[in-house]
């Protein structure tokens, strides 16, 4: 299940490959949480780094690709299947180690506790 956590849903697969979502606004299930600071599209290792800005004091968070439910290029928005509180409670973003397997494992363990994919919340 954790490998699926780091892959985009087939419903958004085509969309994310045709353009870069860096700078897009990110919408949780209950409102805006910030904007995309970085995004990867590697099979089985994809994620977004979201800068939450003043919402949680400039904190950045890593969101596995499976949390993305929709990308709207006209509105420049990425929709994710998590609430603001779930994102706020995620493991602290670590700029120095976020690409390391141990950090990704912690993030995966956290997000893996929730149902994921479109329509799961």
């Amino acid at each position: 299940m954790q490998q699926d956590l780091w892959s985009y849903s087939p419903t958004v697969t085509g969309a994310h490959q045709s353009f870069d979502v860096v700078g897009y606004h990110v919408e949780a299930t209950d409102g805006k949480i910030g904007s995309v600071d970085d995004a990867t599209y590697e099979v089985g290792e994809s994620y977004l780094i979201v800068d939450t800005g003043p919402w949680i004091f400039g904190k950045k968070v890593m969101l596995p690709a499976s949390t993305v439910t929709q990308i709207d290029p006209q509105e420049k928005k990425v929709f994710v299947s998590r609430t603001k509180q779930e994102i706020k409670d995620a493991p602290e973003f670590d700029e120095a180690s976020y690409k390391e397997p141990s950090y990704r494992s912690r993030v995966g363990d956290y997000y893996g506790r929730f149902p994921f994919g479109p329509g799961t919340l």
Side-chain angles (χ1 to χ4, degrees):
M1 188 169 183
Q2 187 152 331
Q3 181 180 11
D4 289 338
L5 198 64
W6 300 101
S7 297
Y8 288 94
S9 164
T11 61
V12 295
T13 300
H16 79 82
Q17 293 175 341
S18 61
F19 51 86
D20 188 1
V21 297
V22 172
Y24 279 35
H25 296 291
V26 180
E27 296 277 336
T29 59
D30 56 352
K32 182 179 175 187
I33 60 160
S35 60
V36 179
D37 197 45
D38 191 16
T40 64
Y41 310 110
E42 300 158 27
V43 175
E45 296 184 10
S46 298
Y47 58 83
L48 301 177
I49 303 297
V50 178
D51 183 345
T52 62
W55 174 59
I56 44 179
F57 309 110
K59 179 179 174 182
K60 289 185 180 182
V61 294
M62 176 185 271
L63 296 174
S66 65
T67 63
V68 176
T69 59
Q70 180 184 354
I71 298 171
D72 184 337
Q74 285 74 34
E75 295 290 323
K76 296 195 178 212
K77 289 184 180 181
V78 174
F79 296 86
V80 297
S81 62
R82 296 291 174 264
T83 65
K84 289 178 171 183
Q85 192 61 50
E86 288 168 347
I87 293 166
K88 187 176 182 179
D89 293 343
E92 189 74 31
F93 181 72
D94 186 346
E95 190 83 41
S97 67
Y98 76 97
K99 293 185 179 183
E100 295 178 12
S102 61
Y103 176 76
R104 290 173 60 111
S105 179
R106 279 198 340 255
V107 171
D109 288 347
Y110 174 78
Y111 284 106
R113 298 182 305 168
F114 303 100
F116 62 95
T120 58
L121 293 179

